[in-house]
Amino acid sequence: MAILGLIKRVTQISKISSRARVYPAKYFQSRDLSNTNYFHGQDAKLPVLIVGAGPVGLVLSILLTKLGVKCAVVDKATSFSKHPQAHFINNRSMEIFRKLDGLAEEIERSQPPVDLWRKFIYCTSLSGSTLGTVDHMQPQDFENVVSPSSVAHFSQYKLTNLMLKRLEDLGFHVQNSKELDGFELDSVVARQILMGHECVAIDANKESITATVSFLKGGKHMKRNIQCSILVGADGAGSVVRKLTEIEMRGEKDLQKLVSVHFMSRELGEYLISNRPGMLFFIFNTEAIGVLVAHDLLQGEFVLQIPYYPPQQSLSDFSPEMCKMLIFNLVGHELSDLDVADIKPWVMHAEVAEKFMCCDNRVILAGDAAHRFPPAGGFGMNTGIQDAHNLAWKIAALFQGSAKSSILNTYETERRPIALFNTSLSVQNFRAAMSVPAALGLDPTVANSVHRFINKTVGSILPTELQKAILDNVFALGRAQLSESLLNERNPLGHQRLSRLKSIFKEGKSLQLQFPAEDLGFRYLEGAIVPDNDPEAGGPEVPSGRRRDYVPSGEPGSRLPHMYVKILSDSTSEIAVSTLDLVSTEKVEFLLIISPLQESYELARSTFKVAKEFTTNVKVCVVWPSSDDGVERESKSALAPWENFVDVMEVKKQSGQEASWWNICKMSERGAILVRPDQHIAWRMKSVVTLDHTLHMRDVFSIILGQQ
């Protein structure tokens, strides 16, 4: 990535009266990070500072720590939010969590039973008639054929708590401003999560980044400087790091403003379990319209999403009492134990940052700081978790000296196209969600158009009360389309609308929950990979907004296909694992997958030799076909003197998958696959390497590790 041009000084942070600034890039010398003193072991500064203690920042801190990179986290919030927020965890994220000390398994044990959340339900009220039901789970979702993990439904704050336990086991401590008496203001704060610490300035020079953080202590604003080599902004959709570095967002702003009402009612949870369990409830009646997210029916935890139209509407219009009445209207009756816990506004965007890094690659954006999606399909948190997974091993390789700083360029090269694709897909899915009210005679664009007219044209000069009355009348007119006298099979117009609604559900054109082809099948076309220019490998398909099956691929840039294999050893017990489990999270280690053939063993020995030259690690996986059970294995002697290898045997299910490993990858058994530490394929040989193995693998590692 070229050195960034002059960065303008940034705006004043008024509430603490401090000037936030970034030194212009002319202060940098063009030098490689791995050549600085820090990277040769001096502990004068923190290697990585993560701004933001949400799921993305916490996952990144876990991954970095397990890879041996010291880091710390700061967050402006004084405590962790109890608002449920994101809740859908897709296959790929669950695969990553499998590698975090049993996190995926704990999520699976702790989440509600799948039969309580597999459906989206469309109704006139929670106790009224059902307009339609969509089941988003298919039989193959439970068979672990394409992934060792199933999707999960687990609220973000619960996920955060589980991550904090993992970090505690890794030696992290959560600190707030009241507990800092023992810390020097400019001390290194490795393995700390500093709550109530807001990043207010980022100063960059040729050696490092200095983050100035502000915190409240004894009623006074205080500051401390934290010097680091790399700063990662994982501080959410309103990212301060992004604003301080003046990185612009590109896309569609303000798609919809909403109010999120977090409430508890075990009575409602028990009723829905008995009558119509589901994850999302789309409720349309003449009194109210809203989307209810059932975070946990067993605990009776819900979030209601309501469209919000400021300035004609203010947050004070959504008082706890007003929200209770709204909930009663949507439920269809009163609830004796209703407890409104939190009410907060938010804005839906569909934007991606123009770049993911700046300041000579020392400041990096991840998660919602880099991309903001509509929640349709749950791409936000999941894409951010996958950002962290992509970034962690590259930072670790850089700090450990096996990679040059140019490897960080590949983070943006690889992840930004994925963010753009997921933006398009989530917008399509959001539009699909709007097709249901449109079929019922509720054109969502009408209210938005009237709202824009009032705010941006002559309507804005009307008295506030009149503006509000106009909006209220538009809403009432829309809801009138949902009256029982109109919306029924006997009414010709009602019959037409209900028929249209049935077609939308039948054809899969409503809001979708799962996208296996995109969740598991996303592929990096360039970056820390060696493309093989296969003419049969096309680019990503255009988003369709429909659920499509995932097709495994051995193409460079793809996630390693999943297949169960038995680990073969001298002991009598043979352990079955996923091929994904063979990739280490404890060190930066590449995985070379080969067949037990002489030329493949020769390639493996050359790969071991080259990896040592690059001061990186390689493990060799020798895949034996299931038909070879009982054949004497000679990998130990064939690979000598190298010892970091594992023999595995294909496990074929009695029903379903019968293809061999190499058939799944669409390759010959004379081929080979080199897998990166993030489980994506870096290079492959489809049949046989005819060139000198050592020279060829030296070129491969040079490209992947940015050593060219």
Side-chain angles (χ1 to χ4, degrees):
M1 181 177 182
I3 296 179
L4 190 65
L6 183 64
I7 302 176
K8 299 177 182 178
R9 64 182 178 81
V10 297
T11 56
Q12 192 175 42
I13 306 296
S14 58
K15 65 179 179 179
I16 58 173
S17 299
S18 70
R19 186 165 299 279
R21 64 193 186 280
V22 177
Y23 285 169
K26 67 182 180 182
Y27 285 87
F28 286 99
Q29 295 177 4
S30 180
R31 56 189 293 168
D32 197 293
L33 293 180
S34 60
N35 292 331
T36 63
N37 288 335
Y38 175 78
F39 289 90
H40 288 91
Q42 296 189 16
D43 290 330
K45 55 182 175 288
L46 184 70
V48 180
L49 177 65
I50 300 167
V51 180
V56 176
L58 296 182
V59 166
L60 181 59
S61 63
I62 295 172
L63 291 170
L64 287 175
T65 302
K66 289 174 75 68
L67 291 171
V69 179
K70 291 181 179 179
C71 63
V73 185
V74 298
D75 196 291
K76 65 180 180 180
T78 56
S79 61
F80 291 96
S81 173
K82 294 295 184 183
H83 202 92
Q85 295 174 285
H87 57 95
F88 179 68
I89 307 174
N90 69 21
N91 283 108
R92 187 64 188 127
S93 294
M94 287 293 283
E95 290 177 350
I96 295 169
F97 291 165
R98 277 171 62 87
K99 307 294 286 184
L100 302 185
D101 305 316
L103 179 57
E105 291 80 1
E106 190 166 359
I107 291 169
E108 290 169 354
R109 290 193 302 269
S110 304
Q111 70 174 343
V114 67
D115 285 342
L116 298 186
W117 55 265
R118 60 191 294 166
K119 297 177 181 178
F120 289 177
I121 296 173
Y122 299 78
C123 55
T124 57
S125 75
L126 296 182
S127 55
S129 58
T130 299
L131 299 171
T133 300
V134 179
D135 187 344
H136 292 281
M137 303 300 289
Q138 297 183 6
Q140 62 265 34
D141 297 329
F142 305 100
E143 295 172 355
N144 298 128
V145 172
V146 298
S147 174
S149 300
S150 298
V151 299
H153 174 46
F154 198 63
S155 300
Q156 181 173 318
Y157 78 92
K158 296 178 182 178
L159 176 62
T160 296
N161 289 338
L162 296 186
M163 290 181 181
L164 289 173
K165 290 179 183 177
R166 266 84 191 153
L167 285 166
E168 183 180 346
D169 292 340
L170 292 170
F172 273 73
H173 299 279
V174 178
Q175 305 281 355
N176 58 48
S177 56
K178 295 179 181 179
E179 300 171 324
L180 292 174
D181 291 335
F183 288 89
E184 297 178 9
L185 291 184
D186 292 300
S187 65
V188 174
V189 287
R191 301 201 183 193
Q192 302 292 328
I193 301 174
L194 303 179
M195 302 301 293
H197 285 63
E198 181 175 9
C199 181
V200 297
I202 301 172
D203 290 351
N205 60 37
K206 63 183 180 180
E207 296 289 345
S208 65
I209 296 291
T210 299
T212 302
V213 296
S214 172
F215 59 95
L216 192 64
K217 187 172 179 65
K220 295 182 179 179
H221 285 288
M222 300 186 69
K223 296 178 186 175
R224 64 184 304 183
N225 293 323
I226 302 175
Q227 191 180 26
C228 59
S229 291
I230 291 175
L231 184 148
V232 179
D235 51 339
S239 173
V240 170
V241 173
R242 188 181 66 235
K243 293 172 183 175
L244 290 176
T245 52
E246 293 188 331
I247 295 177
E248 297 291 332
M249 299 294 282
R250 305 293 185 208
E252 297 183 69
K253 292 182 182 292
D254 298 344
L255 287 176
Q256 182 75 63
K257 293 181 174 67
L258 300 107
V259 168
S260 179
V261 183
H262 177 205
F263 70 92
M264 306 293 294
S265 173
R266 286 189 177 272
E267 179 184 336
L268 179 58
E270 291 170 1
Y271 170 79
L272 291 173
I273 289 173
S274 299
N275 293 276
R276 49 173 67 166
M279 176 193 284
L280 295 187
F281 296 83
F282 300 82
I283 311 166
F284 306 93
N285 62 49
T286 56
E287 299 298 321
I289 295 172
V291 179
L292 184 71
V293 184
H295 280 265
D296 194 325
L297 291 179
L298 294 171
Q299 295 180 356
E301 184 169 30
F302 302 89
V303 169
L304 176 63
Q305 304 286 3
I306 315 161
Y308 174 47
Y309 296 91
Q312 292 76 27
Q313 292 180 334
S314 66
L315 196 56
S316 61
D317 292 330
F318 297 89
S319 65
E321 286 305 315
M322 184 65 71
C323 289
K324 284 185 178 181
M325 294 304 299
L326 187 59
I327 292 167
F328 293 157
N329 285 332
L330 293 170
V331 171
H333 57 78
E334 293 190 4
L335 300 168
S336 61
D337 65 344
L338 178 60
D339 178 23
V340 175
D342 190 21
I343 303 167
K344 59 192 302 183
W346 63 282
V347 183
M348 185 189 301
H349 303 285
E351 297 178 299
V352 176
E354 60 182 354
K355 55 191 173 184
F356 283 15
M357 52 215 328
C358 65
C359 300
D360 209 22
N361 295 350
R362 290 185 182 273
V363 178
I364 303 170
L365 301 180
D368 286 356
H371 39 72
R372 309 191 290 199
F373 309 141
F379 289 98
M381 181 179 71
N382 289 294
T383 304
I385 288 166
Q386 292 146 32
D387 289 344
H389 197 220
N390 180 286
L391 182 60
W393 76 270
K394 296 175 181 178
I395 291 177
L398 176 59
F399 275 66
Q400 293 165 13
S402 61
K404 297 294 185 181
S405 62
S406 59
I407 196 172
L408 296 181
N409 294 334
T410 68
Y411 166 69
E412 179 178 312
T413 301
E414 292 175 355
R415 293 304 300 169
R416 192 169 184 274
I418 302 301
L420 290 167
F421 185 92
N422 287 350
T423 301
S424 178
L425 186 54
S426 59
V427 169
Q428 278 195 354
N429 207 24
F430 171 66
R431 305 289 187 213
M434 295 299 100
S435 69
V436 171
L440 295 174
L442 297 167
D443 188 344
T445 63
V446 172
N448 292 335
S449 298
V450 172
H451 188 233
R452 283 194 297 270
F453 171 80
I454 293 173
N455 288 338
K456 297 183 179 181
T457 63
V458 292
S460 60
I461 66 175
L462 298 174
T464 302
E465 289 303 316
L466 182 55
Q467 293 180 33
K468 185 174 175 56
I470 293 172
L471 268 183
D472 288 343
N473 285 331
V474 170
F475 298 154
L477 183 62
R479 292 195 301 271
Q481 305 300 309
L482 304 170
S483 65
E484 292 183 5
S485 61
L486 178 59
L487 197 62
N488 67 76
E489 294 288 354
R490 296 183 300 276
N491 184 297
L493 181 57
H495 174 77
Q496 181 185 30
R497 289 175 174 175
L498 291 172
S499 296
R500 173 60 184 150
L501 196 60
K502 290 177 183 177
S503 297
I504 290 173
F505 295 143
K506 184 177 180 180
E507 296 169 13
K509 293 182 178 179
S510 61
L511 179 71
Q512 298 298 301
L513 178 64
Q514 290 206 70
F515 293 87
E518 290 78 13
D519 292 341
L520 294 173
F522 66 88
R523 180 165 65 97
Y524 304 134
L525 301 181
E526 56 180 327
I529 62 170
V530 183
D532 60 11
N533 302 316
D534 185 348
E536 297 179 4
E541 294 186 44
V542 177
S544 68
R546 313 280 185 86
R547 172 172 172 148
R548 296 184 299 197
D549 290 336
Y550 159 73
V551 179
S553 171
E555 296 165 1
S558 300
R559 157 229 184 235
L560 178 69
H562 154 71
M563 181 181 188
Y564 282 115
V565 294
K566 287 182 180 179
I567 296 179
L568 306 176
S569 64
D570 294 333
S571 64
T572 56
S573 62
E574 296 180 340
I575 305 169
V577 300
S578 168
T579 47
L580 294 165
D581 296 331
L582 300 173
V583 182
S584 175
T585 55
E586 305 298 326
K587 56 185 174 181
V588 177
E589 181 180 75
F590 291 84
L591 179 71
L592 180 68
I593 303 177
I594 62 171
S595 290
L597 303 173
Q598 182 59 39
E599 60 264 37
S600 298
Y601 283 130
E602 292 174 2
L603 172 67
R605 288 196 299 271
S606 296
T607 304
F608 276 127
K609 178 183 176 181
V610 170
K612 185 176 181 180
E613 293 175 8
F614 281 83
T615 64
T616 193
N617 302 294
V618 165
K619 178 167 67 177
V620 170
C621 172
V622 184
V623 180
W624 295 79
S626 57
S627 58
D628 283 353
D629 196 10
V631 174
E632 184 178 353
R633 299 173 191 94
E634 301 177 349
S635 296
K636 186 172 183 177
S637 59
L639 293 173
W642 310 100
E643 297 181 348
N644 191 22
F645 71 91
V646 59
D647 284 304
V648 303
M649 179 175 289
E650 300 170 348
V651 175
K652 295 184 179 180
K653 293 192 173 184
Q654 293 181 354
S655 61
Q657 176 182 295
E658 289 298 330
S660 72
W661 166 250
W662 298 106
N663 286 337
I664 290 173
C665 296
K666 300 179 177 64
M667 292 171 56
S668 161
E669 65 174 4
R670 295 168 61 84
I673 293 174
L674 185 67
V675 187
R676 308 189 319 190
D678 64 351
Q679 302 172 332
H680 279 256
I681 296 171
W683 164 87
R684 72 170 173 179
M685 172 184 69
K686 292 193 72 172
S687 57
V688 64
V689 173
T690 57
L691 304 174
D692 180 277
H693 289 161
T694 300
L695 291 177
H696 186 77
M697 296 313 295
R698 196 172 283 141
D699 287 342
V700 167
F701 277 95
S702 294
I703 294 170
I704 296 167
L705 295 172
Q707 296 274 30
Q708 283 191 321

